[in-house]
Structures are given as C-alpha cells and as structure tokens.
Amino acid sequence: MSDNHLPTAELQMLDAAHHMHPFTNGDELEKKGARIITKSSGVWLTDSEGEEILDAMAGLWCVNIGYGRDELADAAARQMKQLPFYNTFFQTSHVPAIMLAKKLAEIAPGDLNHVFFNGSGSDSNDTNLRMVRHYWEAKGEPERFNVISRWNGYHGSTMGGGSLGGMKGIHAQGGLPIPGIHHIDQPDWWSEGGDMTPEEFGIARAQLLEEKILELGPETVAAFIAEPVQGAGGVIVAPDSYWPEIQRIVKKYGILLIVDEVITGFGRTGNWFGCETLDIQPDIMTCAKGITSGYIPLGASLLSDEIASVINGDEFAHGYTYSGHPVACAVALENIRILEEEGIVDRVGSEIAPYLKEKWETLADHPLVGEAKIVGMMASVALTPNKETRAKFAASAGTVGYICRERCFKNNLIMRHVGDRMVISPPLTITKEEIDILIERARLSLDEAFEQIKAEGLYE
Ligand SMILES: *Cc1c(COP(=O)(O)O)cnc(C)c1O
C-alpha cells in the first residue's frame, strides 16, 4: 500500500462500476481489474501496490520531458491564479496564447508561422480537415473536397480524426469514415513488402498516392495527410525512398500536405519535428501530446503563410471553447523552455537516441524478433515465427503480441503491443542506465513470451 487511498481491490471495483475506459473491453477489464497508477517521477510510475514500473511509452507517447517536473505545475498554478480562462473568439486574446503561437512559429520548420489552437490531436485533425476544404472553397475550387490518407495511420478517434485515420476497428463502429476520405496502403515493408526490396517498395507505396489522385481526379483532391512515422500503427518506418516520392507527387498535383506530428513533434525524432528528420515540407502540421509533455491537454494546427492568408480573408466558422486555453498554453511554453534550455532535443539527436538504437537493435538477435526499427526515441520490433520468410503467426494477429505485452507488464516495463509488433516511445530524458534496464526487461519478457508461446503451441 503506497499512499493515502482506498485498497486496490476496492478502487478496481469502483473503476469497473463507473469508469468507461477508451479502447477497452469493459467486461474483460472488470474480470481482471485495472492496474492503478498513483504517482510518477522521471521515467518511473508507481502503482497502488507500490510497484515501480519503467514507463517506456511516456504515458501515451507524450511525456517527453519525463514525469515530476514541478516547473510545469508552477506555471499552471501561476496562470490559474492570474487568468484561468478566457476565450479567443470575439476579437480578444491573452498573453499565453500569443507567446506560445510566436514560439511555435519560431521552432516550426519552413513558413509554418500561424497557429490555430485546439484541445487535442483528434480535434486538431478535425480542424485541419475543415481548414483544407475551406481553403480550397475560398480559393474558388470547392470541388477539391477529397482528402487522401493511409490505412493503419492514426489521426485520432473523433468523426474527422477517426475517418482520416485508417484503423479498420474504428471505421467499423459509428458510421466512419465520413464522405470524401480515401485511404491508400501503408509503407510497411516488413509485413507487406513481399519480394520487393525496401527501396522498390517505398516507391511503389508512394505511387499509390498518385494513382489515387488520378482515380479521383486531381482537381478534386484537397490534401494528403500522414504521420512522418506511423506511431499507433506500430512504429512503422517507411523505406528511405518513400517520402521524397510523396513530396514529388503532392507538388506535381498542387495538393496540400498535412503532416501529423502529434507523436513525432517536440524532440521525439531528434529534431524539433519529424519533418526535419525526414526532410518533409508540410503545408499544415498537427501538434498535441508532447507540446505540453502531456501534463495538460492541448492541440495545435500550424499553418503556412499561404494557407493563413487565404483563411484570414473571411471568417472561418470553426473553433473550440478551449482553443488557446491560457493554462494549457502557459504549460506548453514552460515545457518548450525546458526542452530548449536543457538541450533535451539536441541530446536526443546526438547522444541518447544513438545509444537507444545501439541497444534496441540487439533485440533483433532474439529468436522471436524479426526486424527492429527505430527513429529517434520511437522504436518497434516485429515478432515472427520465421525471420527469413517474415511470416505471420498462425494465431490471430495480436495474440502473441498480447502475451509479450503481459510479460512486460508483469516485469514492470510498460511496452505496448500493436498486433504482433512491440513498440516503445520513452521519455526523452531517459538515462543510459535506464535504457539498460529497459532493454534487460524487454529481453527477459521476450524470453518468457517465447517459452509461453512454445508451450501453448503458438510458435508456428
Ligand atoms: C494520439 C494521436 C492523435 C490523437 O490525439 P488525441 O489527443 O488522442 O486526440 C492524432 N494523431 C496522432 C499521430 C496521434 O498519435
């Protein structure tokens, strides 16, 4: 018993009775009981039983500066006392929103100098969807209504975000995707590359964009949206040939490129934004998660000079009560100050990501592991019964991944499974010693999972 709270069993019972969890089978969870997290520091979580867990997922890909930074709590408290809320709708503004917009324009690449604030990643993408369509309406090309996205991309779970995303499980519920959204296949060489080399496959998958544009009619396409590296899809890193070809195609047809940096932003890939790491030139960038290191909800759409000048020509009938919430903006400013002044982004690029890469790639030797992929501080391994043929398990996708994830959980390591890929995205502030512990626990969990799946006849 670690702290001043009800016993774990009682908390679990109340949780099951009243709390509906996102992306969770409630009945299953009720039988098992949720693991209850009570406190945190650095890369470590403590649960209600006093167990210390290494959080290799940084919460949900978001706690970039690590847990327990009082500066963020203090920034929030100061702002709450001074001006806890004011809106930015009716020709009013406030200091935190102004200063954060200026700061984001400074750190963002290219001419992404304009910021529309939102509450989360999902509703930022809803903003972007309306924004690109309205942009073309305002330019006198209202027939540019279609937006192209990718299967197994993740852009949130609202009607817009969930439609833009390519998660079949989301589309299966509640009438998604909404009209005018079209998906092309992802650049996942490991599972879909067949006999092609990664480079050939990267080009082939990028050219699906051109095929889709031609199929829909170039004059009907508003934008293409993608993550620099697919996160929730399993940390899928496209072959090097992919992005230059995408860039060529969007330019050729004059369609807007929305890059969803909700995970890849704020240092995750070793630069401020994934676009810089992968040399992508977006017209719109989606930010959330790491913008506040997850300490408080905030999303932002960063827009090019061209888009802002067109949108500003009339009233964009869109916004959220909490667009530019002063407390969230104050926390984001403090978060960015820490990332900058403590050299955290530079340290990722020059020191800690190379160290993690060296260690992570050793996991490829494990009998259960096919490929090990990593970009900056986000990484994955593909589990397979046969490395040579890149085979899938006979059991339904995710069966083996779930077993491995459960082993990690038991070994006090939070690593997520996406189907039969295991993924990590630790706080950027993780130390080398903590990376060693992470790898040690990951290897132990893989060993145990390997024994278990062999014992259960799943290694085939
Ligand atoms: C998490 C995520 C979102 C959705 O953000 P929410 O804050 O959960 O709404 C959108 N895009 C990407 C790439 C994400 O990882």
Side-chain angles (χ1 to χ4, degrees), residues 136 168 242 257:
W136 289 114
K168 292 187 176 150
Y242 182 76
L257 177 58

Side-chain angles (χ1 to χ4, degrees), residues 100-138:
L100 179 59
K102 168 181 174 282
K103 188 75 209 173
L104 291 171
E106 259 170 49
I107 63 176
D111 70 345
L112 301 174
N113 290 318
H114 312 270
V115 184
F116 194 102
F117 287 115
N118 310 294
S120 71
S122 300
D123 64 32
S124 295
N125 282 323
D126 284 39
T127 294
N128 297 340
L129 178 58
R130 295 200 61 205
M131 183 83 75
V132 294
R133 286 175 173 169
H134 180 56
Y135 167 86
W136 289 114
E137 286 159 4

